[in-house]
Amino acid sequence: MTFNDDSKLSGGKVQRRGRTAAIGGGTVGIGAIVVFLIAQFTGVDLSGFVDDGTTQVQDQGQTVQPAEECRTGRDANQRVECRMEGAAESLDDYWTDESRQLGISYETPGFVLFDRSTGTGCGQASAATGPFYCPPDRSIFLDTAFYDDLQSQYGSSGGPLAQMYVVAHEWGHHVQQLQGTFADTDRSGTGASSGSVRVELQADCYAGAWVGSAATTEDADGRTFFEPISRSQIADALSAASAVGDDSIQERATGRVDPDSFTHGSSEQRQAWFTRGYERGATACDTFSVPGSSL
């Protein structure tokens, strides 16, 4: 998904902690995410998704606002840190309006980019933890080096929309927090139709709903953030959704698939619910009313 070069970024949605790579066209690698299944039982989400090699070193543990140079859609097209800011502003615009359709009172989540490790209300997080939403903090935490792993270790085709799918999925968890879904759902179980899988598939559906409307979200001056979305860009998002399916991850890690241990849904399920949201909007994302065999 390509930003309109002249769209305006207001700034302030994304914060940084610690040393953060200023990201452009190359890649930064972190080791393979081997703690995926363990993370499911800690309450830390691992759903699932580059850079010019330039780094900006921040004070240890200090939280700082994004770089001042993240001002336009052109900046978002060139650097992943600015892309995260642009995605956050578009998501905020979308959910401010869409939340009324879901009957919830919306508030913006925190969004923290970190390097290597950071402390959260859900415990200490590392680069190996992957992107996640922390309900006590009502914040999204992400090390952008994960995007390289998504492509090199998990087989996603990559691309900007694949990256933003990750953010939109975690943003969906924030909407679920506001809805009371986290509090009302037993996420301790596993299996293809478990509560934990339903939560994750709904977040995928919410991500698709945003993508379906993203080209109409507007900056503070009324310009649309994005150019029209192409089929190849949607394919990138679907590739990312498939790459983080439980069956895909299990097969790569162990050579076998155990549906009884699923916590996020299969690749097919994740793609299907993303597509449902993309085509039908957020009000079609009630995974809890669907029989398990139909998920």
Side-chain angles (χ1 to χ4, degrees), residues 161-180:
L161 186 51
Q163 295 174 359
M164 289 186 282
Y165 155 79
V166 176
V167 180
H169 175 96
E170 303 305 338
W171 213 282
H173 283 320
H174 177 65
V175 173
Q176 292 172 320
Q177 172 72 7
L178 299 178
Q179 287 177 300

Side-chain angles (χ1 to χ4, degrees), residues 68-85:
E68 293 182 0
E69 61 268 22
C70 293
R71 296 174 178 171
T72 67
R74 181 177 289 105
D75 298 327
N77 286 328
Q78 294 174 347
R79 296 194 306 279
V80 73
E81 182 181 79
C82 298
R83 191 173 303 132
M84 298 299 94
E85 174 66 32

Side-chain angles (χ1 to χ4, degrees), residues 220-268:
D221 293 336
R223 300 186 186 92
T224 55
F225 283 108
F226 296 104
E227 296 178 359
I229 301 169
S230 68
R231 290 184 178 180
S232 64
Q233 290 167 342
I234 294 298
D236 284 340
L238 290 172
S239 172
S242 176
V244 292
D246 284 324
D247 52 342
S248 294
I249 290 174
Q250 289 180 358
E251 189 166 12
R252 280 191 295 271
T254 68
R256 67 185 189 89
V257 175
D258 178 16
D260 289 338
S261 67
F262 282 3
T263 58
H264 279 60
S266 68
S267 295
E268 182 179 1

